[in-house]
Amino acid sequence: MNRYKMLLIGGMCLISLVVMLDLPFEKAAASPVFQIPFPPGQVWIGQTRMNHNPQNAVDLNRLYDEGDEVTASAPGKVVKIRNLGNRSYGRYIVISHGGRWETLYAHLSSVQVKLGQQVKRGEKIGAVGSSGASTGAHLHYEQRYNGKAQQIRWRGHSIFYWGSKTYQS
């Protein structure tokens, strides 16, 4: 929208053109309602620590968890499947949930989805493993906004940070 503005300066009338650009204003998208990435009724220990990379990630495990089912924590589209061998995340999946929100599931022993696949909340996507730079079976989980790990919320509640806590899926 264009507007003219009249200014009186020292008795002189000047007309200035004020241009208002219709640029899109991007507001941060509301977070999806994420759930714990396991089938209902299971008990898992979540561990967070200051020296974790990234700090806002959580490691989830329980006794004899290798091969346990990992599920999508919210509906979305599988946008990345990688296997870094014995480095970093090892075998991992990234799901886009829209509004620049993504989840990452790492150290998997197997993947049960395909690139581009739409998944529902609670749908099996892989299995807990110890791939990559892992010292034992567990799920490394992140919620990302704009590519940056955020503090995790399940069912609208923040998880406990800087220690361990038990969660039920």
Side-chain angles (χ1 to χ4, degrees):
M1 160 191 319
N2 293 333
R3 280 197 217 164
Y4 293 96
K5 193 176 207 181
M6 295 183 77
L7 299 172
L8 287 173
I9 300 176
M12 294 177 49
C13 180
L14 298 174
I15 298 176
S16 67
L17 177 62
V18 177
V19 179
M20 298 182 73
L21 300 174
D22 286 328
L23 295 175
F25 174 74
E26 244 179 289
K27 190 173 140 185
S31 164
V33 177
F34 295 108
Q35 70 177 25
I36 298 170
F38 300 106
Q42 296 182 354
V43 176
W44 290 83
I45 297 170
Q47 182 189 42
T48 57
R49 55 192 185 279
M50 298 288 268
N51 65 347
H52 207 181
N53 188 13
Q55 269 190 352
N56 288 329
V58 64
D59 285 341
L60 296 153
N61 68 337
R62 63 186 186 164
L63 288 176
Y64 313 113
D65 60 0
E66 181 129 18
D68 282 357
E69 183 175 319
V70 175
T71 63
S73 60
K77 181 180 181 180
V78 178
V79 294
K80 189 179 287 186
I81 299 172
R82 295 277 190 281
N83 187 350
L84 301 176
N86 62 358
R87 297 179 302 114
S88 184
Y89 291 135
R91 187 175 289 114
Y92 72 99
I93 298 169
V94 176
I95 297 175
S96 172
H97 305 284
R100 297 188 179 175
W101 283 96
E102 295 178 332
T103 47
L104 180 141
Y105 311 78
H107 303 306
L108 300 172
S109 63
S110 66
V111 171
Q112 270 78 45
V113 291
K114 294 188 181 343
L115 193 61
Q117 181 178 335
Q118 293 288 332
V119 293
K120 297 176 184 166
R121 175 183 289 114
E123 185 174 339
K124 183 176 182 177
I125 60 170
V128 173
S130 186
S131 64
S134 172
T135 57
H138 70 284
L139 176 68
H140 172 97
Y141 174 84
E142 298 174 22
Q143 290 175 357
R144 296 174 168 183
Y145 180 73
N146 241 4
K148 184 177 179 205
Q150 304 296 305
Q151 287 205 340
I152 293 166
R153 297 177 66 83
W154 286 319
R155 298 184 196 112
H157 301 283
S158 293
I159 68 168
F160 175 73
Y161 272 88
W162 321 140
S164 297
K165 183 174 179 184
T166 302
Y167 298 96
Q168 182 168 351
S169 57

